[in-house]
Amino acid sequence: MDALQAELTRSFKALRKEDKDPPLYYLSYQAVETRTRSLSAVLGSVIHDSQEARRSLDVDARVGSRELDDTHQIKGAESAGHVDASSASELPIDDDALALRQAAWSVTDRAVKEAQGRYTKVAADKAVTAGEADGSDDFTAAPAHRYTEPPPPPPPDLSGWRAALKRLSAEAARRPFVVSSQVTLSADSGRTWFADSEGSAIAQSVTSVRLDMTMSGRTSDGMAIDRARSWESVDLAGLPTEPQAAAALARLAAVLEALLKAPDAEPYHGPAVFRSTAAAVFFHEILGHRLEGHRQKLESEGQTFAKMLGEPVTAPFLSVYDDPTLKTLAGLPLNGHYAYDDEGRPAQRAQLVKDGRLAGFLMSRAPIASAPASNGHGRRSSGNRATGRMANLVVEASKTVSEAELRRLFKAELERLKLPWGLWFEDVQGGNTTTSRDGPQAFQ
């Protein structure tokens, strides 16, 4: 943090003094360190056993002003201007201040030049294209924050799982229909440093372990089909035991075998039920991504909900919120937890849908007309600018029924529509039945 802050302060001061038009008005650094241990087994043998450490740095350099800067969307032929791209590079993993500052200076120089070049295109585009429906600023002002968490422990020793991974992968290999399979255990220890020209300085830590099982096969006509099952926790104690993993693997294999023998899917139009992880994926893709703030004013996006604030968007008994402050839910650890987002904003609960009506969006520091401030959801992957993203998306229902009653209601709806069968989606990871056809008389 000391090295990054020193270089950020020096670079920002020097670049602001330069006689450049447009001027640099904001600069931020985000450095991410990840230390990983990984163990993989195939066909009863360990094929991968590694340790790795890496650091990356993302530089957000903004030129112009908060009202109009280089991140502004460009229309027409120049629209593929990578508005979400940021300048990124590897950082030394040693704590050598001079080496860290030299690497940061190099990325900063590139970031500022790229920003100035893009701003020229933004200004030209604004001069010759029609006005925009959403004329909000490109960046919001925000107070500085300082926050430090203790450094994380190193990744745990995985040697105790070595024999278990070999046994699990050998068990998968005993199925004649399995063409390939792999069992992988990985453990990450992460540290993130954020500093900006407004005075924020934030250091956060995270640990995670993940167990993945994959297997694939081919149908008689050559189509490749694969299934996967994974578990994630903050430490090894949160993973399943070997017997539990073996039972899940057996269910995974049964699903794969059934899919390999199943007839080709037919086009279907009618009622469907989503539950388990299938429901989670449905809400993530259909609702969550469409409520990301920046999508509401980009012309390249559908802007599905841009003008629907306060309007009904789901059934009235459903409410949806996203809360990165949650560490657990129903006793399960949540991977989306953080104290500050990737723009240095405090994590906040964002109410997205209330009693079926649209209540808000997932906001970074890029404002929109209906949401002029960040709600702590600015998130990035390396090489991309922070935008409004999901953290822990939670769907609540004020009206519920038992699974038996849900099946009864589902069959009644199929009968009302005179449909011979309907789709019941369960677990896309393969832990349960993947899909079934539920008919009025009987279901599989």
Side-chain angles (χ1 to χ4, degrees):
M1 179 64 82
D2 291 343
L4 293 177
Q5 282 189 297
E7 184 53 39
L8 186 144
T9 300
R10 189 201 68 80
S11 289
F12 187 69
K13 183 178 180 180
L15 292 167
R16 289 268 292 181
K17 284 184 176 179
E18 290 184 6
D19 185 19
K20 294 293 179 81
D21 187 25
L24 176 69
Y25 78 89
Y26 177 81
L27 184 65
S28 74
Y29 290 168
Q30 186 180 45
V32 179
E33 175 183 282
T34 305
R35 296 182 181 271
T36 303
R37 285 182 175 173
S38 181
L39 197 62
S40 297
V42 172
L43 302 176
S45 299
V46 172
I47 63 162
H48 182 79
D49 185 352
S50 69
Q51 297 187 49
E52 182 184 13
R54 67 182 300 266
R55 282 178 181 164
S56 62
L57 175 68
D58 277 80
V59 174
D60 185 5
R62 291 173 176 261
V63 302
S65 65
R66 298 188 192 282
E67 293 75 25
L68 180 69
D69 67 24
D70 57 285
T71 69
H72 197 85
Q73 67 172 318
I74 299 175
K75 305 172 190 177
E78 295 289 343
S79 60
H82 303 294
V83 65
D84 292 335
S86 66
S87 295
S89 179
E90 296 292 311
L91 271 184
I93 61 172
D94 292 327
D95 292 338
D96 183 313
L98 185 60
L100 290 167
R101 291 186 62 173
Q102 192 280 334
W105 167 81
S106 178
V107 187
T108 304
D109 182 66
R110 170 160 51 93
V112 172
K113 290 175 179 175
E114 288 175 352
Q116 289 169 337
R118 193 177 191 281
Y119 185 89
T120 301
K121 295 180 180 180
V122 167
D125 184 75
K126 288 280 289 183
V128 300
T129 58
E132 296 159 341
D134 188 331
S136 52
D137 294 347
D138 288 331
F139 202 53
T140 57
H145 289 273
R146 303 182 75 85
Y147 173 79
T148 301
E149 294 176 351
D157 182 10
L158 305 182
S159 59
W161 274 78
R162 193 179 187 90
L165 295 189
K166 292 172 68 174
R167 287 190 290 267
L168 288 169
S169 65
E171 182 62 28
R174 292 191 181 97
R175 271 80 174 179
F177 54 86
V178 174
V179 174
S180 64
S181 65
Q182 184 165 314
V183 183
T184 299
L185 177 64
S186 59
D188 291 336
S189 180
R191 182 78 164 161
T192 301
W193 298 268
F194 176 86
D196 71 7
S197 54
E198 296 172 336
S200 289
I202 296 166
Q204 300 183 92
S205 301
V206 65
T207 61
S208 67
V209 293
R210 183 181 176 97
L211 177 63
D212 291 287
M213 299 189 302
T214 63
M215 59 177 65
S216 64
R218 287 191 177 274
T219 62
S220 58
D221 61 356
M223 178 186 294
I225 296 180
D226 58 79
R227 295 286 90 187
R229 183 75 168 92
S230 63
W231 298 263
E232 192 162 0
S233 182
V234 295
D235 53 35
L236 291 173
L239 294 181
T241 63
E242 184 181 348
Q244 290 171 331
L249 186 144
R251 296 173 69 184
L252 196 66
V255 169
L256 178 61
E257 184 177 23
L259 287 172
L260 293 172
K261 297 177 180 178
D264 290 342
E266 302 171 23
Y268 173 76
H269 179 79
V273 172
F274 294 84
R275 62 185 300 274
S276 191
T277 57
V281 172
F282 180 86
F283 272 93
H284 176 98
E285 299 294 346
I286 300 301
L287 185 68
H289 280 310
R290 285 171 169 78
L291 293 180
E292 294 167 354
H294 67 289
R295 296 184 188 272
Q296 311 312 312
K297 64 179 181 181
L298 290 181
E299 293 197 352
S300 58
E301 297 288 342
Q303 302 180 20
T304 309
F305 298 114
K307 299 179 181 179
M308 294 190 67
L309 206 60
E311 298 294 323
V313 294
T314 70
F317 60 82
L318 290 179
S319 293
V320 183
Y321 65 89
D322 193 284
D323 192 350
T325 69
L326 293 176
K327 292 184 178 181
T328 62
L329 186 66
L332 297 174
L334 298 181
N335 191 39
H337 166 73
Y338 55 84
Y340 286 82
D341 71 7
D342 295 331
E343 294 180 308
R345 300 299 92 206
Q348 301 175 40
R349 170 171 164 156
Q351 190 72 47
L352 304 174
V353 177
K354 182 66 175 177
D355 299 327
R357 294 183 178 273
L358 184 63
F361 300 96
L362 300 163
M363 296 303 300
S364 66
R365 291 184 65 177
I368 57 176
S370 55
S374 168
N375 54 21
H377 282 78
R379 310 189 70 192
R380 67 149 50 88
S381 57
S382 185
N384 293 282
R385 199 179 299 278
T387 55
R389 295 287 186 185
M390 288 169 276
N392 296 315
L393 191 72
V394 181
V395 181
E396 292 181 332
S398 59
K399 176 184 176 182
T400 62
V401 297
S402 66
E403 182 174 331
E405 176 63 7
L406 182 62
R407 286 185 178 269
R408 187 192 70 77
L409 292 170
F410 187 46
K411 290 170 65 177
E413 181 67 5
L414 293 174
E415 290 174 341
R416 185 184 72 83
L417 296 171
K418 296 181 172 56
L419 292 174
W421 54 272
L423 291 183
W424 183 283
F425 294 89
E426 298 212 7
D427 192 336
V428 295
Q429 287 190 332
N432 300 311
T433 303
T434 306
T435 60
S436 62
R437 294 183 177 188
D438 284 14
Q441 282 71 44
F443 50 80
Q444 298 168 298

